[in-house]
Amino acid sequence: MNADETAWERRSVVPVVPPVAPRKLAKVPFVELADGRLQGVVSSGSDIERVYVSSITAGTHALSCSTNNNRPCGALHGHACKHIRMLADEAVVQYGLDRVARYLRVEVPAGDSLMSCIHGQPERTPAAVVFSRFLRHLAYLEVADSTDPLAELHWFPSTAPYKEVAR
Amino acid sequence: MLDVQLGEVLAGGPEGADEALDLVAGFDDALTLGLARVGEDAAAALSALAGALAASPIGDRVSEAADKVATGSIAGEHLAALAGGRAALCGAVHDALLGRLDTALGRPRTPWNPAPGAPRPDRPLGGQAASGDPRDGQEARSGDSPGGQEAGSGDGVPVQVPGHLLDGCRMWLRELAIVGWRGVDHDLAGAADQAIEALLAVPELRGLAVLLDGLAAELRASSPVATMDRLPARRWADLWTRGLLLAQRGPWHGGAEPVSGRLLILGADVHEHATVVRAQVHGVLEPTRGGQARLVRTSVAAAKVDTIVGPAVWRLMGAHPVLLGALAGHRSLEITDMPLLPGGDLVWHDDRAAAGEPADPFTTARVALPGVSAPAVPPLDRHPVRIAEPVLLEGYSVVDGSLDLSPAGGGHALPLGLDRLPRGGPLTPELVAASSACIGLMRWDGRWVLQPLAVQATVKKKPVAAHNGDWAMGPTDPKVVKAEAKAGDVVAVLRERAGRLLRK
Ligand SMILES: [Zn+2]
């Protein structure tokens, strides 16, 4: 191990989680790379009460889409529905193509889009787990502010100027 | 700060600091590999840590813990004792660094002497954290107080913390210590999710919640950790240590006294991870009843999600319009009976503050900052990472990302912490490079770094000033306003979704 790496390992403040880029949330409020899938929640274009839970599995690239009530998406047969496409597009904005492709274990030649390289088959995966993770995500917005000193936050400085990560 | 003062600060590490940090690094290596099987190196590191603390009040307990853990007996009380030992070493390094900075700046610091009524976590240490007992009796008592545990609230009133919540956190931290960072996988990284969710509902435990949430997210993003080329051993051991101390009986701040007076803002330091953002405002408090002006910090933290970034984060703190308005509008604040903790933290209450006269932070830094008295640092908060001392620098040149304060150039180089410029403010590396005056925080992470909070610069032959808090009431740069409008109000979108879906 060289001196730079030793110095890095001996620092209290180093970035570990790459920051995500800002994106519009109206259509795809939730995207995550978790549980071996790119998964997320897509708002229905027609019914404000309904959302779709969509995912692409890492490795097999199996596709899944259903409503939060576990009713299968009518548009998913043989190829990806628009919900999965929107999910993939927003994931690329949020995390960058490299990170998403690496997670899904897919080679995306320069100039190609992620979805042009995904050829998995539809598969039912339970929507409930992802949906409950989305609800947990939303629940953060209900947590009250704190004006306590919270000295622990000195380990978590804000990172990177705005323009470096803006779209 | 002058070049000669900077020279004093930078002149080699304080005596003993390198040795203390080597001991810490030995412990961190042991934690990386896990305590399930303590090898020769790790056993030596643990006993060296204990040896350095032998003469301190916790010496016996750390020594016993090192022995027990080396032989495979990993009880919660032993881990707490080791965490206390590691914290004491970091505290000693903190004291040495801060002492040197205070001396160079000529800044007097109040000795630690908590007000009566503080939840007596840490007795006075005479300025030497290395001799300190992190929490007298805490290890012995942990785990056998089923009802509730007393902790400090921001207002200094002892509160009952649900003990079972802390049990869950200690169990997770123990499991992490046993398998070591190298043994962490997705399952273990996510194993504290429910405990963290429960912590977030308890205002007094917010510090522990944001700490564990941040650590868990890093472990999840790094899992399986065994495949990492290098891992942030110091950082994760820091977080583990502080988490374990907080999970004994909750936080230790308390002993607030009400203060009234004029608060002059120096600048805002922004902290952030995926699920929290916090603006910590540094300022000078001129007490109404007279006496020396005091350096204080006051904070607002808001929970968030990873997709809320950039200028949008300020909207999450909208419940504190008086503070945010003064920050964005460069005004002073008149505060009345606001709780001030012994560590210099003003516990912000927006309804006890009113906007005052216009007050340029650079004027405050030039006129008021030189005469301030700095607060004591609570013993358990002493760690180099907490050092964030406001300074004013003028008449420098910026060369290769460092400041040179000497009039002719060729003086001491103070590196700039440009990676800490927040995304929700107007400061950019270019502006800092073009600047001639800077209000910043002196920080230390293996070396001294200046974190800019505000600069005065000349851009296209015109003087400009930019402050981290300038966009607290919304961005003022038309380009950023436009980009924000295009992206839509992410906070409003998610709140709408939450309102519709969470209460079904
Ligand atoms: Zn679909």
Side-chain angles (χ1 to χ4, degrees):
Chain A
M1 184 166 296
N2 66 36
D4 279 355
E5 286 189 356
T6 304
W8 186 88
E9 294 205 322
R10 288 188 176 203
R11 282 181 59 190
S12 290
V13 177
V14 287
V16 178
V17 182
V20 305
R23 62 179 185 87
K24 296 181 192 182
L25 300 182
K27 290 179 179 145
V28 185
F30 180 57
V31 169
E32 64 171 0
L33 299 168
D35 306 334
R37 286 186 293 270
L38 162 61
Q39 56 193 22
V41 168
V42 182
S43 296
S44 161
S46 53
D47 180 354
I48 197 162
E49 301 283 344
R50 192 193 307 156
V51 296
Y52 287 87
V53 174
S54 313
S55 71
I56 304 171
T57 303
T60 66
H61 304 159
L63 307 172
S64 164
C65 187
S66 56
T67 68
N68 49 322
N69 300 323
N70 237 353
R71 218 166 296 145
C73 169
L76 174 64
H77 15 232
H79 52 86
C81 60
K82 68 172 181 186
H83 310 114
I84 294 175
R85 291 182 180 281
M86 284 159 70
L87 173 75
D89 288 349
E90 292 299 308
V92 167
V93 175
Q94 181 165 327
Y95 296 113
L97 178 59
D98 281 358
R99 195 167 154 200
V100 178
R102 213 177 326 124
Y103 192 87
L104 292 178
R105 299 199 290 277
V106 53
E107 291 270 347
V108 182
D112 281 12
S113 74
L114 175 68
M115 284 312 291
S116 68
C117 304
I118 296 284
H119 307 291
Q121 290 304 305
E123 182 184 277
R124 292 299 301 275
T125 53
V129 178
V130 181
F131 191 65
S132 71
R133 289 176 65 96
F134 174 49
L135 294 183
R136 180 173 188 265
H137 182 81
L138 289 179
Y140 276 101
L141 299 177
E142 315 263 301
V143 174
D145 294 348
S146 173
T147 57
D148 280 357
L150 307 184
E152 30 292 312
L153 284 175
H154 287 278
W155 274 275
F156 299 95
S158 66
T159 48
Y162 182 70
K163 56 178 221 152
E164 279 183 24
V165 284
R167 282 203 228 190
Chain B
M1 184 159 63
L2 304 170
D3 188 51
V4 282
Q5 294 173 310
L6 180 59
E8 274 181 59
V9 176
L10 299 181
E15 200 181 329
D18 286 349
E19 290 80 357
L21 290 174
D22 281 343
L23 293 171
V24 170
F27 176 86
D28 299 350
D29 289 343
L31 209 53
T32 296
L33 298 171
L35 303 178
R37 282 175 302 275
V38 174
E40 251 174 60
D41 288 353
L46 295 179
S47 86
L49 177 96
L53 295 162
S56 79
I58 53 171
D60 289 348
R61 262 187 284 170
V62 177
S63 167
E64 188 200 344
D67 290 347
K68 294 277 187 192
V69 167
T71 55
S73 155
I74 308 166
E77 64 187 283
H78 300 142
L79 293 179
L82 291 175
R86 187 185 182 281
L89 287 173
C90 291
V93 175
H94 163 278
D95 289 0
L97 291 164
L98 190 59
R100 175 177 287 203
L101 182 63
D102 285 343
T103 304
L105 294 174
R107 186 171 286 175
R109 187 169 298 276
T110 310
W112 178 249
N113 185 19
R120 68 147 326 236
D122 19 38
R123 53 183 185 232
L125 298 182
Q128 272 303 319
S131 66
D133 181 341
R135 292 291 284 276
D136 186 27
Q138 67 184 6
E139 296 86 355
R141 263 184 250 158
S142 66
D144 56 24
S145 51
Q149 312 188 12
E150 216 173 72
S153 73
D155 287 349
V157 183
V159 293
Q160 289 302 111
V161 167
H164 66 279
L165 289 184
L166 299 181
D167 293 344
C169 300
R170 287 199 304 269
M171 271 167 54
W172 185 59
L173 292 165
R174 178 169 178 269
E175 195 62 31
L176 291 174
I178 289 171
V179 304
W181 305 123
R182 288 256 169 240
V184 173
D185 58 11
H186 280 103
D187 285 347
L188 183 52
D193 284 0
Q194 279 189 338
I196 293 165
E197 205 173 324
L199 286 181
L200 283 165
V202 184
E204 293 76 21
L205 297 178
R206 179 64 70 82
L208 181 58
V210 299
L211 182 149
L212 296 184
D213 214 6
L215 175 59
E218 293 186 6
L219 293 175
R220 206 177 295 124
S222 308
S223 284
V225 177
T227 62
M228 287 177 86
D229 294 335
R230 59 176 187 179
L231 54 89
R234 169 70 47 82
R235 172 178 178 77
W236 285 351
D238 277 353
L239 295 174
W240 179 88
T241 301
R242 187 163 175 96
L244 198 62
L245 294 178
L246 283 167
Q248 301 301 311
R249 280 188 305 183
W252 39 77
H253 48 78
E257 49 157 336
V259 290
S260 301
R262 183 165 75 144
L263 178 63
L264 297 161
I265 291 172
L266 287 162
D269 176 19
V270 182
H271 304 150
E272 185 175 3
H273 67 51
T275 58
V276 69
V277 60
R278 187 266 285 272
Q280 183 164 58
V281 176
H282 291 257
V284 175
L285 175 68
E286 298 176 337
T288 307
R289 51 157 212 239
Q292 196 171 13
R294 302 161 83 161
L295 204 50
V296 296
R297 309 175 178 191
T298 192
S299 303
V300 174
K304 72 176 197 75
V305 294
D306 56 353
T307 43
I308 301 176
V309 289
V313 298
W314 293 106
R315 283 205 286 276
L316 297 167
M317 299 179 237
H320 311 272
V322 179
L323 179 63
L324 265 52
L327 202 53
H330 302 171
R331 287 182 171 275
S332 66
L333 287 153
E334 298 296 333
I335 60 168
T336 308
D337 291 336
M338 195 92 80
L340 178 65
L341 295 168
D345 289 285
L346 201 53
V347 183
W348 191 255
H349 288 68
D350 217 54
D351 56 357
R352 299 186 202 177
E357 298 293 308
D360 178 0
F362 279 94
T363 307
T364 299
R366 285 181 189 117
V367 178
L369 188 57
V372 293
S373 109
V377 182
L380 278 176
D381 290 339
R382 293 180 192 175
H383 184 290
V385 81
R386 190 187 178 277
I387 296 175
E389 283 296 303
V391 290
L392 171 70
L393 298 144
E394 293 182 278
Y396 49 77
S397 47
V398 180
V399 184
D400 296 336
S402 290
L403 293 184
D404 182 340
L405 288 167
S406 65
H412 302 282
L414 177 60
L416 286 158
L418 297 176
D419 48 352
R420 296 184 80 129
L421 297 177
R423 288 199 254 176
L427 255 72
T428 59
E430 292 75 20
L431 259 182
V432 175
S435 68
S436 54
C438 177
I439 301 171
L441 298 177
M442 287 295 286
R443 289 197 170 271
W444 192 90
D445 192 11
R447 60 175 188 169
W448 288 99
V449 169
L450 181 80
Q451 175 192 350
L453 299 183
V455 295
Q456 289 178 327
T458 306
V459 176
K460 291 177 186 158
K461 295 183 183 167
K462 283 194 183 140
V464 295
H467 303 254
N468 275 348
D470 278 351
W471 297 351
M473 300 295 280
T476 52
D477 177 337
K479 272 185 284 183
V480 177
V481 173
K482 213 172 145 191
E484 284 282 286
K486 199 175 147 219
D489 186 339
V490 290
V491 177
V493 167
L494 290 176
R495 284 200 172 133
E496 185 275 334
R497 293 280 82 183
R500 203 170 287 279
L501 298 168
L502 276 180
R503 274 170 286 282
K504 262 187 159 176

